[in-house]
Amino acid sequence: MVKKSVYAIASLFLVTASPVFSSVIGITEYSSFISASEFGSTSLQHTGVGPGIDDYTGAGLDVVFTNSLGADNIGSVSWQITNSTGSVLNDVSFFGFLDAQIDEATNTFFNETASAAGFTLGSGSGDSQPDSFEIDEPGYLFGDIFTNLLNGSLDNTNALLGIEDDVSLALGFDVGTLLSDESILASFEISEIDNGGLYQYDAASDYGFYFLGVVSIIDDEIEIPNPSTLFLMSIGFLAIGGVKAGKHKRMGTKVC
């Protein structure tokens, strides 16, 4: 009886002394970009999470950003951008950008990898799926992903293939012509379940997440659902295609 009692106490101690730790996703920046012939050579940017940049409003675009991320940053966000310039916008492209880290406080932000192995590009104007992508260091050191976003053209490459570093992800969508009072409706999802998107992984934490988005053109009178519902609904919506290019450079530093 004594041995059993001691064993039971020891077992209880081992269980209570081994808490379960869940990984933490931290978001440095969650932004969208839009390019059009009428906006010149540099894309406009709107930051939903992060630095607070809004180039859209001053250019005649009405923007509504909805954040439906959970406390763990799993979930969806959406942008509704309405063309209120009074003119048609041509050669429009839209982009979503995510700079996120997994367990940065415990194992840094520059030890992660990413993959596009399960990701499939859309067919251009025939669907709402991404038409381009990029995985890269976010532009503080050597990556050109932020430059390409401002240029309005992603390079469809994984610059961090087999490399551990600071990971950022971007998706691009061909939109084409955006009539006056029409809206771009975009939803992006961070998911622990494979949604067919780009995959970011932290080996030290043995944890990763998927990043995917959908973009559609809608009439401004349509009532907008919440981002999670929108993400599912948008799979069936259609968009119209086009691409734009230019040049710019990001400035910034991160301390390792």
Side-chain angles (χ1 to χ4, degrees), residues 48-130:
V49 178
I53 298 169
D54 178 11
D55 298 329
Y56 291 2
T57 303
L61 301 176
D62 294 334
V63 56
V64 176
F65 175 74
T66 304
N67 186 342
S68 294
L69 296 171
D72 55 2
N73 281 328
I74 296 294
S76 299
V77 301
S78 72
W79 278 269
Q80 181 188 359
I81 302 98
T82 302
N83 178 11
S84 298
T85 64
S87 303
V88 175
L89 297 178
N90 297 286
D91 299 321
V92 178
S93 292
F94 188 83
F95 306 89
F97 171 72
L98 176 65
D99 180 6
Q101 297 78 40
I102 300 170
D103 292 337
E104 177 180 1
T106 57
N107 60 34
T108 77
F109 60 85
F110 51 87
N111 69 324
E112 296 166 18
T113 59
S115 172
F119 175 73
T120 303
L121 291 175
S123 57
S125 61
D127 59 40
S128 58
Q129 303 307 301

